[in-house]
Amino acid sequence: GSSNIELRTNFKDTADWVPSVWTGANGEASVTVPLPDNLTEWRVTAIGLSDNSQAGMATHSFRAKKDLMVRLGLPQFLVDGDRQRLTATVANDTGKDQDVTVELSATGLTLEGDGKRTLRVPAGEPQVVEINAVAGDPGTASLTATVAIAGGLNDGVKQSFPILAHGRPVLETKAGEGSATAEFPVGKSLDPKVGSLKVTLSPTLAGDLVKALDGLIDFPYGCTEQTMSRFMPSILVAGTVRDLGLPKPKNLEKLPKIVQDSLTRLSRMQHGDGGWGWWEYDESEPFMTALVLDGLDRARAQGYDVSMARPENALNWGVAFLKDKTKKADIRDRLYLIYALLRWGKGEAAQYLNAIDLKDRMEPLYEGSDEKVQRPSSADLATAALAYRQAGKDAAPLLDRLLKKAQVGEEIVTWAPEDGAWGSEPSALALTAFEAIRPNDPLLPKIVQGLMRERQGNGWSSTRDTAYSIVGITSYLNRTKELAGSSTATVIVNGQERGTITLDPSVLDDPNRTIEIPRTELGDGPVSVEIRKTGEGRCYYTFALSGLEVADPLAATATDKGLDIVRKVYKMEAQRLENGEMKLLPSKQPITEFQNGDLVRVELTINSDVPREFVMVEEPTPSSCRVNERTEIDPYEEKAWWWSRTVVRDDRLAFFARNLPKGESKITYNMRAEQAGLASALPGRVENMYDPGRWASSAETKVEVEK
């Protein structure tokens, strides 16, 4: 029966990569490669180099096959509720026609119709078996296909793919230190089966910083800032852990690879003029160049060789930028560049501090705006204080002015988010400045406590303010060596005790310090959480309640009423122009029904009431279509798009724009309809990457493809 058929489950595009092979004296070498389960033609490529610099390359192909084979045609993903036609192709290479029994079974999917059938498969003429499937709950789905000839040959294959949730993810967080109580309201629109409450505890700041690295290391995109926000905090936390004499946590075992990958990426993203922008194809700018130089210098201080990133080219760019009086930059960006150059010993940069106006004044929020903001901002003053200190100038008056902008409480000191310094960035910069200039200030512990209470989950609101927070807190930890005694904490959820956790500061990444409770066990009403701490040690906590807002269909919504995004879908059709020429153009009206093979044009229209920076548009795609767009562009093509970068994933595209102008902006991309069925393109979303609490979302789009 089919249960006795061995299933092929290990599929890879590259069977093996052997970067270094030494031949014997006869010039020959042998390499053993275990093949994955793909039945396909494989190509072996060998590149050789001799001691006297002679080079050569050779290729050889061979085929892995069986006389009876089955191959699945599956989507990259499905959305909960999608209905799609799946295929199994049966190939008969026995040399004669055969009656083949085909069995299909699935988990996470509902198959429509009988999954078992017998069909006649002529020799050398593959036959296709089709079956409709409906995606079940979010998670992982798998389809298993077996084929057999009575009393003879057989084959089997099992492949998996993700099922995405049909809804908008929702996350509510709270953080703090010590015994605490909190309550989370639960909206009626949340799916009662999806999500969880996660309670994470730590006895030391170092433990929280280690947890914060997870989100930075695993962040799915890689602009200049995100590369630095992965690289710089990782090396700083590793140095702090080492200096505190603590064991290396598991996520820092990746550190050598993080360092190598980051330096390689920075080298590739560096512009020809020596500076860096947000992405490869935009203009070099002082903030991003300063951020890289700042991080490279901190890495250099930890003993890393950063020459691969060519910092000398960036230093030359920075000095030239400051010398050029026609170059415009925000106060903070110019100050940050001066600070970074001074860290690298470019003393001539100090002279440009005198030209920066740090007098209090009101300025338009942006050019032409009636709204006024106070300058210099908290971030301006913190950066100025660091630059003044680096230049050997008196920074104390700047710290005094910075403190006047603070929100001072009995237990915490914080600074409010600002335009250009979002989330916890002002508080993080203030901590770094106070730690560098007034390390004995009695307010420092309160600044740290304030920053820790602003956490959202294991990190802060974005990669950028998380990275700056880690910079400030590692500096504080390196000086104070904060390792308090042990304690215990009891976690109570909805009145029920869920566990008592021992908090030992000598252990950084104890998995038992996290308690996760599925949404199905939390009931329908509000969720209450209580921490009862005993002992002299500290207890830093984060509560994160995740859920899924559901509706069918999902309508457009926004947290920022001055921002919206609309998606329209068109079919590309051959249309005759007035001059008689035929051209492929979008249909006159939006449509959502297509034939297999149709070319689809998607148009995103974004409206903004103000100019915005660092904008990301995440655009989910329907499982039935495949995107026909490149992520890399040819030289000089960057002028064809107003956005900076396009990233294509299996289930979505992401567009990144360094600047989004006021008014209407449009993005278009192309897909091809491939899989028959009805699929959901989940809502698109536009936001400032560093101020993710303000966003707008389009409605979902149902796309139907017919065979």
Side-chain angles (χ1 to χ4, degrees):
S2 61
S3 60
N4 297 321
I5 297 175
E6 184 177 354
L7 299 178
R8 294 183 287 114
T9 59
N10 179 29
F11 300 96
K12 297 180 180 179
D13 292 331
T14 301
D16 203 4
W17 159 246
V18 185
S20 179
V21 178
W22 288 90
T23 67
N26 61 356
E28 296 181 357
S30 177
V31 177
T32 300
V33 177
L35 288 179
D37 290 335
N38 309 56
L39 299 180
T40 185
E41 182 173 288
W42 293 98
R43 184 183 66 197
V44 181
T45 301
I47 300 174
L49 184 68
S50 69
D51 289 340
N52 58 0
S53 299
Q54 291 179 313
M57 183 178 77
T59 61
H60 178 75
S61 297
F62 65 92
R63 189 179 179 195
K65 57 171 286 187
K66 298 175 72 173
D67 288 340
L68 181 65
M69 298 180 288
V70 61
R71 184 178 71 251
L72 295 177
L74 301 180
Q76 298 283 350
F77 69 96
L78 290 176
V79 172
D80 177 10
D82 280 2
R83 183 176 183 272
Q84 200 164 114
R85 188 168 299 167
L86 310 181
T87 63
T89 302
V90 184
N92 170 19
D93 288 342
T94 64
K96 60 181 181 179
D97 298 353
Q98 300 283 358
D99 290 322
V100 180
T101 300
V102 182
E103 288 192 48
L104 301 174
S105 60
T107 58
L109 302 168
T110 300
L111 300 181
E112 298 179 347
D114 191 355
K116 184 175 181 179
R117 64 196 72 180
T118 299
L119 68 157
R120 188 72 172 173
V121 182
E125 297 181 20
Q127 301 295 301
V128 178
V129 176
E130 297 180 339
I131 192 164
N132 290 328
V134 179
D137 292 337
T140 300
S142 65
L143 184 67
T144 301
T146 60
V147 293
I149 299 170
L153 302 172
N154 61 58
D155 187 28
V157 61
K158 180 179 181 180
Q159 290 179 258
S160 301
F161 56 88
I163 295 181
L164 308 182
H166 181 268
R168 286 189 179 90
V170 176
L171 180 66
E172 296 289 338
T173 63
K174 297 182 186 296
E177 192 271 329
S179 296
T181 59
E183 184 171 285
F184 294 92
V186 176
K188 293 182 179 180
S189 62
L190 294 185
D191 189 328
K193 300 180 296 182
V194 178
S196 67
L197 172 70
K198 184 180 288 188
V199 178
T200 302
L201 307 179
S202 174
T204 174
L205 292 170
D208 279 300
L209 298 188
V210 167
K211 282 287 186 184
L213 288 180
D214 289 337
L216 299 177
I217 291 171
D218 298 331
F219 196 77
Y221 305 115
C223 67
T224 299
E225 174 275 321
Q226 288 146 8
T227 301
M228 291 308 303
S229 291
R230 181 182 299 114
F231 170 57
M232 180 165 60
S234 296
I235 60 173
L236 292 178
V237 172
T240 299
V241 168
R242 180 195 63 225
D243 294 344
L244 291 174
L246 298 172
K248 181 185 291 187
K250 288 184 178 180
N251 59 2
L252 285 177
E253 293 175 359
K254 306 175 185 177
L255 185 60
K257 186 176 187 304
I258 292 171
V259 171
Q260 183 65 33
D261 289 352
S262 298
L263 292 174
T264 300
R265 186 168 184 80
L266 289 171
S267 175
R268 183 170 66 83
M269 296 183 75
Q270 189 175 31
H271 297 165
D273 59 13
W276 281 274
W278 199 32
W279 289 92
E280 301 99 312
Y281 307 118
D282 48 18
E283 299 293 327
S284 295
E285 57 179 87
F287 179 87
M288 290 299 167
T289 303
L291 176 63
V292 176
L293 287 172
D294 183 6
L296 292 179
D297 183 61
R298 294 176 190 273
R300 187 175 61 159
Q302 294 282 339
Y304 292 96
D305 179 4
V306 298
S307 58
M308 182 188 296
R310 299 185 295 272
E312 65 282 355
N313 293 353
L315 294 171
N316 292 335
W317 181 90
V319 171
F321 182 92
L322 294 175
K323 284 182 178 178
D324 189 343
K325 295 182 179 180
T326 66
K327 297 289 188 181
K328 294 183 179 180
D330 292 338
I331 294 175
R332 180 189 169 193
D333 294 357
R334 194 174 291 273
L335 287 165
Y336 194 17
L337 182 59
I338 293 171
Y339 170 69
L341 292 172
L342 290 171
R343 287 187 67 106
W344 279 85
K346 291 290 184 180
E348 64 267 35
Q351 63 184 300
Y352 299 104
L353 287 173
N354 298 327
I356 297 177
D357 184 4
L358 292 176
K359 295 177 182 177
D360 288 329
R361 60 193 183 278
M362 300 299 292
E363 289 185 350
L365 178 60
Y366 57 90
E367 188 174 346
S369 172
D370 294 331
E371 184 179 351
K372 303 286 186 179
V373 293
Q374 190 175 44
R375 295 287 187 228
S377 66
S378 299
D380 296 339
L381 290 171
T383 308
L386 289 167
Y388 270 55
R389 174 186 176 274
Q390 201 70 31
K393 298 167 70 74
D394 183 11
L398 293 168
L399 284 190
D400 293 337
R401 292 171 62 189
L402 176 61
L403 188 56
K404 290 180 180 179
K405 292 179 176 288
Q407 300 162 342
V408 181
E410 291 185 7
E411 298 179 347
I412 63 172
V413 177
T414 60
W415 282 260
E418 302 165 332
D419 185 68
W422 301 276
S424 298
E425 197 170 323
S427 295
L429 291 169
L431 171 59
T432 302
F434 270 87
E435 181 60 37
I437 299 163
R438 289 182 185 166
N440 297 316
D441 195 302
L443 289 178
L444 263 170
K446 293 185 178 183
I447 298 174
V448 172
Q449 287 298 318
L451 197 54
M452 293 301 290
R453 291 191 187 186
E454 291 179 346
R455 288 172 297 156
Q456 299 182 20
N458 289 330
W460 282 260
S461 66
S462 73
T463 55
R464 186 162 133 173
D465 69 344
T466 296
Y468 278 119
S469 296
I470 290 175
V471 170
I473 294 173
T474 52
S475 178
Y476 175 81
L477 264 178
N478 288 334
R479 181 180 58 82
T480 63
K481 312 296 183 188
E482 183 237 35
L483 284 176
S486 297
S487 62
T488 60
T490 300
V491 179
I492 300 168
V493 178
N494 288 342
Q496 179 182 354
E497 186 174 316
R498 288 289 185 161
T500 297
I501 298 172
T502 299
L503 299 173
D504 180 356
S506 66
V507 180
L508 284 182
D509 54 353
D510 183 353
N512 296 318
R513 292 180 189 153
T514 296
I515 295 176
E516 186 166 11
I517 304 168
R519 179 73 181 83
T520 52
E521 298 180 18
L522 295 174
D524 298 327
V527 176
S528 64
V529 189
E530 182 180 359
I531 300 292
R532 295 177 184 170
K533 191 207 78 159
T534 58
E536 63 179 7
R538 291 189 177 277
C539 174
Y540 295 100
Y541 65 83
T542 59
F543 308 147
L545 180 65
S546 62
L548 190 73
E549 182 183 350
V550 293
D552 194 10
L554 292 161
T557 187
T559 60
D560 186 330
K561 299 307 179 185
L563 186 65
D564 72 70
I565 177 171
V566 176
R567 173 199 291 143
K568 292 183 179 179
V569 183
Y570 301 87
K571 177 183 175 181
M572 298 298 287
E573 301 173 329
Q575 299 180 28
R576 189 176 299 278
L577 304 181
E578 291 182 358
N579 61 3
E581 179 184 353
M582 297 296 291
K583 191 172 183 179
L584 200 61
L585 295 172
S587 54
K588 301 295 184 183
Q589 298 296 326
I591 62 173
T592 56
E593 296 180 0
F594 302 91
Q595 297 292 318
N596 185 288
D598 282 348
L599 190 61
V600 181
R601 169 70 56 83
V602 181
E603 178 185 82
L604 304 176
T605 302
I606 303 164
N607 281 285
S608 176
D609 61 342
V610 295
R612 299 173 190 262
E613 296 184 277
F614 302 110
V615 171
M616 176 178 70
V617 179
E618 281 196 305
E619 167 67 353
T621 53
S623 59
S624 55
C625 298
R626 186 175 294 273
V627 173
N628 291 347
E629 296 291 342
R630 294 171 294 152
T631 57
E632 301 293 336
I633 62 177
D634 294 329
Y636 310 111
E637 277 191 305
E638 65 269 17
K639 302 300 182 184
W641 292 276
W642 60 267
W643 59 93
S644 304
R645 180 72 159 151
T646 302
V647 175
V648 180
R649 297 282 190 259
D650 289 342
D651 60 344
R652 66 191 184 278
L653 297 96
F655 303 95
F656 298 87
R658 178 62 180 83
N659 294 286
L660 177 72
K662 179 180 178 179
E664 182 180 277
S665 301
K666 291 190 177 184
I667 294 174
T668 60
Y669 66 92
N670 295 318
M671 305 185 296
R672 188 172 296 280
E674 291 191 348
Q675 297 281 128
L678 181 65
S680 291
L682 294 172
R685 178 177 169 122
V686 56
E687 65 182 39
N688 178 328
M689 280 201 65
Y690 309 126
D691 190 16
R694 299 172 62 184
W695 51 266
S697 174
S698 69
E700 77 167 307
T701 306
K702 300 280 190 180
V703 174
E704 185 168 9
V705 177
E706 296 182 357
K707 184 177 177 182

